[in-house]
Structures are given as structure tokens and as C-alpha cells.
Amino acid sequence: MKHKAFFTFVIAVMAACAPICVETKNLNYATAPIPKPGEWLESRFAKNGVPPFSFKYGGRNSGTLIRNWELATEQKELDSYRTQHVYTYTDPKTRLQIRAEAIEYKDFPALEWVLKIKNDSETESPLIEDIQALDVNFYSATSSNFILHHALGADLSRADFAPLDTLLGSLESIRFTPNGGRPSDIEAFPFFNLEDKQSGGTMIAIGWTGRWASTFSRVDERSVNVKAGMALTRLKLYPHEEIRTPRIMLLFWKGDDYLSGQNAL
């Protein structure tokens, strides 16, 4: 099956949303252009720009640092349906490397990436904190009512994976994280559907087997900032030591029915 490599843990969310899903004939991608995954990646990982992730390094925000880092890019066709894009940022002073390994899907309006962070020097790295594998603003063409569709986690109760709808009001910020170090325990489930009532929305998935955290913050009338990563990160890397982040997936959808996005996933 040609889609079998597509972010395998999405099977769980399909099971969770089964009672509320509708037939895929209701998908509507014709109302407005859907972002093209390859173009989205190229624009967000552009040289001298701020990529769709963030962290603190030596007490400074990455947004003020990474514009001046070296950037190397690679591209490889994995098969007829997937293209891999690799973006490697290197601090010329400390040789810390941030390697973003991304995949563009050609048969779905979807993409994913994972960050690998390596100390490529002979000395201990400065302090690395608050690593957000996803940190990006989602914009609406006009003033919009953003609605976040999400679900509870599991607690061996009748409310397991219950669907919830949350209106993101003005300057409001909401944080999600599961309990007990498990990825879908009680209070949070790592799949979200951020709906822009004007045109469509974005499915957001976090691939991590431990405790993750995500924050949805209304920036202004036309935008919402989304952050996602491990719940707590504060560390240094020994020489040539490497870690990785949760995997992030985005799937773009259009139409006036938010279930279109969940069915596309």
C-alpha cells in the first residue's frame, strides 16, 4: 500500500475519531489553494529566515541567533510519493548542529519533520533549553474565529478520547500535556485540528512516546502561534553527543467542515 510509510502512528487517531468521522466525499479542496508542502518547507527553512522550531541557547532565543548560522540543504526522492528535505544549521562558534529531516508528501497536502541536535565540537555545549520542535504562526486571510478541535486522553473511563472543541479567544493561550509520562494519558491526545472558520485548517500531530507539551496562543485577530515539543528540556551536550525531538506532522485542508481534515488524515 503506497501510504503505509505515512506517519504510522496516525492509526491511533483514526480509531479515536471513528465515531465522529464522515464520508470522505465531503472533502473540499477546491474552495481555496491548499499550501503545497514543498513550498511551505522551502519558505520556512529559507536562508537568513527563522525556521518553524525554536529553543534557547546559552540564554538567548534561537530566533536572534540562527539567522547567522551556516545552513546546508539536501534533497532526495525517496519514492514516487515522498521527497526528503534536510536542513542543517550549524553555529560557527560552538559547532552545535540542528538537523531538520523533513518529508514532503506528493499525494497528500502533508509534511513532517524531526530535529536532531548534535554537539559537533570537542567541548561541552552551552545550555540548551525549551526546545520546541514546532513553533510557527498560522494565519487567516481575514479576521477569524479559530477553533481548536482536540481530544482527551485515556483514563479507562467512558470519556476516553472524547472529542472537544475550544474557541481560541483574543490573546488566549492554552497548554496541553499528558499525565504520567505517557503520550495520551487522561488530559491530552497528541492530535489537533486547528480550524480557521474562514477557509479550512491544519491537522497537527506530535509523534513522541513520552511526555510532550503543546501551546496554542492567539497572537492577534488573524493569527495563532503553535508550539510543540518535549514537556521539559534543559540540558548540555557532551562532545559529539546527539539527541532528537518529537516528530511533527502538518496536514492542510480546505472547506467548511472540520471533519474534512480528520478524514484526510
Side-chain angles (χ1 to χ4, degrees):
M1 184 176 180
K2 67 182 181 181
H3 307 318
K4 64 182 179 180
F6 180 63
F7 217 51
T8 54
F9 72 77
V10 302
I11 296 173
V13 79
M14 295 303 293
C17 76
I20 60 171
C21 285
V22 297
E23 296 180 8
T24 55
K25 67 182 181 181
N26 288 333
L27 288 172
N28 183 1
Y29 295 138
T31 56
I34 293 179
K36 295 182 179 180
E39 293 178 2
W40 194 97
L41 287 170
E42 291 300 316
S43 66
R44 297 311 190 278
F45 288 96
K47 187 173 179 59
N48 300 320
V50 178
F53 60 82
S54 66
F55 56 95
K56 290 182 180 178
Y57 189 48
R60 299 177 63 187
N61 291 326
S62 60
T64 64
L65 298 172
I66 207 162
R67 294 176 187 270
N68 300 315
W69 288 17
E70 301 165 2
L71 174 60
T73 62
E74 305 171 49
Q75 182 173 316
K76 181 173 68 173
E77 300 294 326
L78 299 178
D79 51 41
S80 301
Y81 309 103
R82 300 176 300 153
T83 300
Q84 182 183 61
H85 303 261
V86 179
Y87 308 92
T88 304
Y89 297 84
T90 304
D91 178 11
K93 295 181 180 179
T94 67
R95 306 310 298 173
L96 185 76
Q97 287 187 350
I98 312 291
R99 178 183 171 92
E101 298 180 356
I103 295 178
E104 163 198 357
Y105 291 90
K106 299 179 181 179
D107 51 350
F108 279 93
L111 55 95
E112 63 176 83
W113 71 85
V114 62
L115 303 181
K116 296 182 178 178
I117 304 173
K118 181 179 181 180
N119 179 4
D120 196 31
S121 76
E122 301 300 327
T123 60
E124 187 179 86
S125 76
L127 188 64
I128 308 169
E129 302 174 88
D130 193 25
I131 303 169
Q132 302 294 321
L134 171 67
D135 186 349
V136 69
N137 287 355
F138 292 89
Y139 295 94
S140 174
T142 60
S143 297
S144 178
N145 291 321
F146 286 95
I147 299 177
L148 183 64
H149 306 282
H150 54 107
L152 295 176
D155 190 29
L156 299 178
S157 73
R158 295 180 64 183
D160 284 359
F161 306 114
L164 300 171
D165 302 320
T166 301
L167 179 65
L168 296 177
S170 177
L171 303 180
E172 186 175 10
S173 181
I174 303 174
R175 187 174 189 266
F176 299 91
T177 189
N179 292 342
R182 294 172 290 274
S184 58
D185 191 51
I186 304 178
E187 294 183 359
F189 193 59
F191 295 86
F192 300 90
N193 186 350
L194 180 61
E195 180 185 8
D196 169 7
K197 290 296 289 184
Q198 302 295 329
S199 59
T202 304
M203 298 294 302
I204 302 166
I206 306 164
W208 193 244
T209 56
R211 188 169 179 237
W212 53 271
S214 63
T215 305
F216 294 77
S217 304
R218 191 67 185 258
V219 178
D220 52 36
E221 291 183 349
R222 296 188 179 184
S223 61
V224 171
N225 174 264
V226 181
K227 293 183 175 70
M230 287 179 280
L232 298 170
T233 48
R234 190 174 188 270
L235 55 94
K236 292 184 178 181
L237 294 178
Y238 290 117
H240 306 291
E241 185 178 12
E242 180 177 293
I243 60 173
R244 57 154 288 185
T245 69
R247 185 175 295 272
I248 300 297
M249 188 207 72
L250 305 179
L251 183 147
F252 308 109
W253 61 272
K254 291 293 179 182
D256 57 5
D257 183 353
Y258 75 91
L259 292 178
S260 295
Q262 288 165 216
N263 287 330
L265 186 65

